[in-house]
Amino acid sequence: MDKQQKDKGLLLRGLSAVERVGNRLPHPVTIFALLTLLVILLSHLFALMGVTVQFEGINPETMKTETQTVSVESLLVPDGIRYMVTSIVENFTTFVALGPVLVAMIGVGVAERSGYLAMLLKRIVIKAPKRLVTPTVVLMGIMSNIAASVGYVVLVPLGAIIFLGFKRHPLAGMAAAFAGVSGGYSANLLIGTNDPILAGISTEAARILNANVVVDPTANWYFMIVSTFILVFIGTWVTDKIVEPRLGPYREPISADIERISQREKRAFRWANLSLLVVVLIIALSIIPSDGVLRGEGGSVVNSPFIQSIIVFMMVVFLIPGLVYGALTGVIKNDKDAAGMMSDSLASMAGFILLIFISAQFVAFFNHTHLGTLLSVKGAEFLQASGFVGIPLMVTFILLTAVINLFIAADSAKWAIMAPIFIPMFMQLGYSPELTQVAYRIGDSTTNIIAPLMPFFALIVAFAQKYDRKSGIGTVVSLMLPYSLLFLLFWIVLLIIWYFLGLPLGPGAPLFM
């Protein structure tokens, strides 16, 4: 056995060990219940100790920088107990992943159960070059970030279906899509909805030192474009060379014969696609004209009712052709059949809904007690005291952000706390706010795919269990760990190269002050 084969064997054994250890953990519902109990106990302990933290933070409502002093709040005092018992329902119903998933599944469920998605898959399989499947799935995942959470809800399960149609392991397709959607969250060829939010926070943080600084939404655009191609290459290599070989052949029977298509199916597919085209044209007419009804203030598309309601439009995009295809093939005979498909698709999410109920309590209690803020600020103070400069400073900052991201999933919330600390500090060392922001985004993206606290992580576990009932948190983490580590490594290398070449990060966005 040569050294390369030996190293590969060690890697695969290591990932298998991660999976075994992870899957020996209790059920995710039990884990989140225990974590919630731990938060309750730690909040009381730290409150008794009088633990507080002070930082310059940005008020999300006014976008103004304010000195904030935060104390850990106990959940075992009367006010804490009242908060817990009165917030449980709201914590569940307002959890960020719940609504989008259930709404989208109404349309996706009909498209899947009517056979439309299977037919679409057949056509892709017949016409698409097999060698381009993996990079296409990863790229589609990255590009989906312009539409908020659509990638998690639609593309991740679609990646599994596409791979299954090519007689490849569906978990490999799911992993490739998830790597693009979540691990590549800060890479894109276009400007997404998150860019203006982060830029606004960065601007306010920079104005602590210089009232004239403006960080534009396009501040990291050039870097994001190059990152997209790098991550597509890395994501493809990891999928084809590490993840899929480790999974081995998928031994479950494939339900559809991808080469046998009847004339009735072909006719139904044409009409379904025509209905899809009509839906897309109607949506396009509402956003393409400068005075389109779904454009935002000042004709904006990025901050518009269209983007805010993207999940609804995605539901319609799947629902209408699914209904048309089902009706013309005879699968849907009446409104009861259609309603049954919708309810069945929601019923299939029962396990996910239960997990969301428990995890929502943990996340809400963790935020309410300010334990997350304490962790973030103390980590920032440690980095500030480290004495690093230049590339070592930026790399350390990226790694710190990556670790914090395991505990605090909301990127804008973390940045609202961290930006007023790091941007002024780095500005005093001569580094631009745009550089600090892009370093933050690298760390924030790369550990999303291995962070159980990420709101959509429970959904990914549920998708994995569809193809392997034994799958658990350990399965998903072991699948995604190679993506996370290599994305982080190569993104850091790209930033180092960018740094030494002195390239602008975006239009009018230099590296240095």
Side-chain angles (χ1 to χ4, degrees):
M1 179 182 294
D2 60 26
K3 185 177 185 301
Q4 184 177 6
Q5 290 176 322
K6 184 177 180 181
D7 290 344
K8 185 176 181 180
L10 289 173
L11 173 62
L12 295 180
R13 287 198 297 272
L15 293 175
S16 297
V18 170
E19 179 177 7
R20 286 194 301 272
V21 172
N23 287 342
R24 285 175 181 171
L25 295 173
H27 190 280
V29 170
T30 305
I31 292 175
F32 277 109
L34 293 174
L35 287 174
T36 303
L37 178 61
L38 181 62
V39 166
I40 293 171
L41 296 176
L42 287 178
S43 72
H44 190 63
L45 175 62
F46 287 166
L48 289 177
M49 296 169 60
V51 174
T52 61
V53 62
Q54 188 176 67
F55 61 95
E56 291 290 321
I58 295 174
N59 187 325
E61 296 181 359
T62 64
M63 293 300 288
K64 299 297 182 182
T65 303
E66 302 172 359
T67 300
Q68 302 179 38
T69 301
V70 173
S71 302
V72 175
E73 296 190 19
S74 172
L75 291 174
L76 291 178
V77 297
D79 283 346
I81 293 172
R82 284 191 285 267
Y83 163 76
M84 286 192 290
V85 299
T86 58
S87 67
I88 287 176
V89 174
E90 183 179 0
N91 295 341
F92 173 53
T93 57
T94 60
F95 195 68
V96 64
L98 181 64
V101 169
L102 297 183
V103 171
M105 282 304 297
I106 294 173
V108 173
V110 171
E112 180 180 7
R113 285 165 171 76
S114 68
Y116 176 69
L117 279 183
M119 174 56 70
L120 182 62
L121 175 61
K122 291 178 184 179
R123 306 304 296 179
I124 293 174
V125 170
I126 291 172
K127 295 184 178 181
K130 187 175 182 179
R131 66 182 183 277
L132 297 180
V133 171
T134 306
T136 299
V137 169
V138 177
L139 177 61
M140 285 171 25
I142 293 173
M143 294 301 297
S144 72
N145 292 321
I146 63 174
S149 56
V150 169
Y152 294 103
V153 179
V154 175
L155 191 60
V156 173
L158 190 59
I161 294 172
I162 290 173
F163 267 50
L164 189 59
F166 279 93
K167 297 183 180 180
R168 298 175 62 180
H169 204 296
L171 291 185
M174 184 203 76
F178 187 32
V181 172
S182 196
Y185 188 66
S186 288
N188 215 303
L189 301 179
L190 303 173
I191 299 299
T193 56
N194 203 42
D195 293 280
I197 298 173
L198 295 181
I201 294 173
S202 297
T203 297
E204 293 301 321
R207 287 178 176 176
I208 294 175
L209 292 183
N210 186 340
N212 297 320
V213 172
V214 176
V215 179
D216 294 320
T218 57
N220 302 144
W221 196 10
Y222 297 160
F223 188 83
M224 288 166 55
I225 291 173
V226 176
S227 297
T228 300
F229 295 103
I230 298 293
L231 296 188
V232 167
F233 175 80
I234 298 301
T236 300
W237 187 86
V238 170
T239 302
D240 294 344
K241 302 299 183 181
I242 298 178
V243 172
E244 195 164 16
R246 175 173 170 262
L247 289 170
Y250 187 61
R251 303 191 182 279
E252 296 296 324
I254 299 175
S255 58
D257 181 353
I258 60 174
E259 296 181 356
R260 186 177 303 163
I261 302 174
S262 68
Q263 290 300 317
R264 185 177 188 182
E265 289 174 326
K266 290 180 179 179
R267 175 176 173 272
F269 187 62
R270 286 195 297 269
W271 281 101
N273 288 339
L274 180 60
S275 71
L276 174 61
L277 178 61
V278 171
V279 170
V280 171
L281 286 175
I282 292 173
I283 295 174
L285 289 174
S286 68
I287 58 173
I288 291 178
S290 58
D291 59 347
V293 67
L294 293 181
R295 281 188 176 248
E297 185 176 351
S300 171
V301 175
V302 174
N303 297 306
S304 67
F306 169 70
I307 294 296
Q308 294 168 6
S309 306
I310 191 71
I311 287 291
V312 176
F313 294 113
M314 290 302 300
M315 178 194 71
V316 174
V317 161
F318 281 93
L319 178 63
I320 298 302
L323 290 173
V324 171
Y325 184 85
L328 293 178
T329 57
V331 176
I332 299 177
K333 298 179 177 63
N334 50 48
D335 61 317
K336 293 180 181 179
D337 290 339
M341 287 183 179
M342 296 178 198
S343 61
D344 287 345
S345 66
L346 295 178
S348 68
M349 303 301 294
F352 167 72
I353 293 172
L354 173 62
L355 187 55
I356 285 295
F357 174 76
I358 301 298
S359 60
Q361 310 312 320
F362 167 71
V363 173
F365 292 176
F366 190 69
N367 291 335
H368 179 81
T369 58
H370 301 305
L371 289 174
T373 302
L374 175 69
L375 176 66
S376 179
V377 174
K378 290 301 182 183
E381 291 175 351
F382 168 78
L383 184 56
Q384 189 173 17
S386 66
F388 290 150
V389 295
I391 287 299
L393 174 64
M394 288 297 165
V395 172
T396 305
F397 175 56
I398 290 171
L399 296 177
L400 174 66
T401 304
V403 172
I404 291 176
N405 189 52
L406 295 171
F407 301 94
I408 307 177
D411 56 345
S412 57
K414 287 196 301 292
W415 193 225
I417 296 171
M418 297 175 70
I421 299 170
F422 288 106
I423 283 184
M425 180 178 73
F426 289 2
M427 285 174 67
Q428 293 181 72
L429 297 174
Y431 306 120
S432 70
E434 292 86 352
L435 176 58
T436 308
Q437 177 178 287
V438 85
Y440 165 79
R441 297 180 75 171
I442 292 172
D444 178 62
S445 294
T446 49
T447 51
N448 279 336
I449 48 181
I450 58 171
L453 298 186
M454 195 269 291
F456 290 94
F457 195 87
L459 177 64
I460 306 305
V461 174
F463 287 149
Q465 290 174 342
K466 179 177 180 180
Y467 299 101
D468 182 358
R469 294 183 181 277
K470 297 180 181 179
S471 294
I473 290 176
T475 301
V476 176
V477 171
S478 68
L479 282 177
M480 305 314 301
L481 189 58
Y483 295 101
S484 180
L485 295 178
L486 289 177
F487 278 12
L488 180 61
L489 173 62
F490 280 89
W491 229 335
I492 289 174
V493 170
L494 177 62
L495 183 62
I496 292 173
I497 294 172
W498 210 282
Y499 182 94
F500 283 115
L501 292 177
L503 300 174
L505 294 163
L511 293 166
F512 308 105
M513 296 296 297

